[in-house]
Amino acid sequence: TMSSALQPPPTYINDSHKKWDTTIFIIVLLIIAATTTIARFILRWKSITFGMDDWAMIPALAGYLAHSILGVYVNARAGIGKPLWEVSIQEFELWLKGILLSCFLYPLSSGLIRISILLFYDRVFSKTNRPMRLAIRITLAMTLVYIITFDIYASFLCKPLHKFWKPFERAQYCGDNIIKWLFDSAVYGYSLILDLVLLTLPAIPVLKLQLSTPKKIGALVMFAIGASACIAATYKLIVFGLQWGRMGYIDPRWANQQLSLDIPPQFDSYGHTMWIPTQAELSAAMIGSSLIALKPYLQRSIQTITTALGDIVRTISSKSQARKDSGQFPSHSPGGPVQIRSTDKYVRMDESSAALNEEFELGDPGQKRT
């Protein structure tokens, strides 16, 4: 037969041509996202503002860590980043195991992150805005349906399921690759819809709040950062569609392999088309939602740094002026303390505006609130 005339996959591991960029990318984003989220937990707990959105972020962080660690392990050990004809049969089996586990972990972790963001919206808007409360409840239900549906769907990608990671048996027990393609298309498309809802949901109530225009813009920007995963989700969906149709030139060294009949040629860039966009999406959601909670502390840190730099500049200027005056002390203008009048217009706030201000602007971050 034709397949018997083809070369079998290697049985030894050869990493001489392996690229590590995907593994490094996942590790860097993992460290940044985990550190930001843990900082959020600590500062929220110290300031006694730990809410339901923070409690929901705890399992979301666990899911994110599980998916990220899976990505690091699979990309480091499963032959991803190497020429396909140099990937051993053992590496291909690990590669496929990683894909299957991601089919369960990705909907779970991304759904839990979205639930945390929605609970934050509920914390800010729902007390005084019934339409917003209803919209949040509907989106929460859609997110739960997303998690349950696709985790159940993943259980039927192959019958029996363990044949999924057997390269030479997948065609017999799992059907062709169209089943996995439909699964990915549905998951990525639904994820993008949810991310777009998270991005647009706070826009109308924020614009209606009795806040000054700069404060409205600042609040919209922060909510957009929290829902910024939609950018990565859009990129991932586009790349997925473009890559799936890439059936042109296939390197003869891979075409002469037995596994080329079962492994799609798009696997030659799987790290860049699946793992990098997925890690970017999940990390953006983790970092963005945590930056909302950290905004007061970031503002305080920036103000402290700015004040310190100003003091340094003034000290240098004073010493320079003293030398120019041949040792004479700088003159001080007589009079009492300088009075500063604020020209800012007073803006009356309703309850939603006050809630938004409490989350983003008011109060000393180091001071506990009861």
Side-chain angles (χ1 to χ4, degrees):
T1 63
M2 178 180 176
S3 59
S4 60
L6 299 176
Q7 298 179 6
T11 56
Y12 59 92
I13 296 177
N14 176 16
D15 287 337
S16 59
H17 298 107
K18 182 177 178 61
K19 297 179 181 178
W20 298 91
D21 52 342
T22 304
T23 306
I24 295 171
F25 180 87
I26 296 175
I27 292 174
V28 170
L29 286 189
L30 168 61
I31 293 172
I32 296 174
T35 302
T36 306
T37 306
I38 293 172
R40 162 196 179 159
F41 291 155
I42 294 173
L43 294 174
R44 277 277 183 92
W45 187 267
K46 286 185 176 180
S47 60
I48 316 182
T49 56
F50 207 90
M52 289 298 298
D53 55 321
D54 301 298
W55 288 112
M57 185 55 76
I58 293 176
L61 175 61
Y64 170 77
L65 291 175
H67 193 278
S68 300
I69 293 172
L70 171 69
V72 171
Y73 182 77
V74 170
N75 279 271
R77 300 291 300 274
I80 299 175
K82 299 196 312 188
L84 292 179
W85 54 88
E86 292 183 1
V87 181
S88 67
I89 185 65
Q90 297 88 348
E91 289 175 315
F92 266 124
E93 288 188 2
L94 179 58
W95 190 329
L96 295 170
K97 286 180 182 178
I99 293 175
L100 183 61
L101 287 174
S102 177
C103 290
F104 289 97
L105 285 175
Y106 172 76
L108 178 63
S109 55
S110 61
L112 290 173
I113 296 171
R114 294 184 182 102
I115 288 174
S116 176
I117 295 174
L118 287 167
L119 290 176
F120 176 76
Y121 290 175
D122 185 73
R123 176 177 182 167
V124 175
F125 297 110
S126 289
K127 291 181 181 179
T128 58
N129 192 326
R130 289 186 178 181
M132 184 68 170
R133 182 164 62 245
L134 177 61
I136 291 172
R137 300 297 187 274
I138 293 174
T139 311
L140 280 170
M142 291 174 59
T143 306
L144 290 174
V145 169
Y146 163 81
I147 295 173
I148 295 171
T149 300
F150 289 114
D151 271 350
I152 293 176
Y153 186 175
S155 302
F156 294 95
L157 288 175
C158 200
K159 298 179 182 180
L161 193 59
H162 72 272
K163 296 296 183 179
F164 186 91
W165 59 81
K166 298 296 182 181
F168 290 112
E169 301 177 53
R170 290 180 75 245
Q172 178 182 356
Y173 293 97
C174 310
D176 55 20
N177 291 305
I178 193 65
I179 297 176
K180 180 62 170 57
W181 182 87
L182 290 173
F183 175 84
D184 289 339
S185 299
V187 172
Y188 295 169
Y190 202 139
S191 295
L192 179 58
I193 292 173
L194 289 176
D195 287 337
L196 290 174
V197 171
L198 291 179
L199 183 64
T200 57
L201 200 58
I204 295 177
V206 167
L207 292 175
K208 289 182 178 180
L209 292 178
Q210 298 180 22
L211 295 174
S212 62
T213 300
K215 286 184 180 291
K216 287 182 180 180
I217 295 175
L220 288 173
V221 169
M222 288 306 299
F223 283 120
I225 292 174
S228 59
C230 65
I231 300 174
T234 303
Y235 169 78
K236 182 173 67 174
L237 188 59
I238 292 173
V239 169
F240 172 76
L242 294 175
Q243 283 293 314
W244 191 260
R246 182 171 62 84
M247 299 293 291
Y249 173 78
I250 299 177
D251 194 297
R253 289 171 290 185
W254 174 239
N256 290 329
Q257 296 282 328
Q258 291 177 358
L259 280 178
S260 65
L261 303 177
D262 301 290
I263 301 296
Q266 296 90 347
F267 270 45
D268 61 355
S269 55
Y270 201 80
H272 289 185
T273 57
M274 185 277 183
W275 286 107
I276 286 182
T278 300
Q279 185 69 14
E281 178 192 357
L282 295 177
S283 300
M286 294 290 293
I287 297 169
S289 59
S290 295
L291 284 178
I292 296 178
L294 293 174
K295 182 175 183 288
Y297 306 94
L298 295 175
Q299 285 182 324
R300 186 183 182 189
S301 299
I302 293 173
Q303 184 178 1
T304 301
I305 294 172
T306 303
T307 302
L309 291 175
D311 290 341
I312 293 173
V313 171
R314 284 191 292 271
T315 300
I316 295 174
S317 299
S318 297
K319 291 181 178 180
S320 177
Q321 184 64 36
R323 284 193 292 268
K324 289 181 180 179
D325 293 341
S326 301
Q328 295 180 357
F329 293 99
S331 60
H332 298 277
S333 59
V338 178
Q339 296 184 359
I340 302 176
R341 291 187 178 181
S342 173
T343 58
D344 293 340
K345 293 183 179 179
Y346 174 71
V347 180
R348 182 182 178 185
M349 295 191 297
D350 58 15
E351 291 184 14
S352 295
S353 303
L356 191 64
N357 249 301
E358 181 182 1
E359 291 296 336
F360 290 105
E361 300 292 342
L362 299 181
D364 182 357
Q367 181 180 0
K368 295 183 179 180
R369 293 201 302 267
T370 57

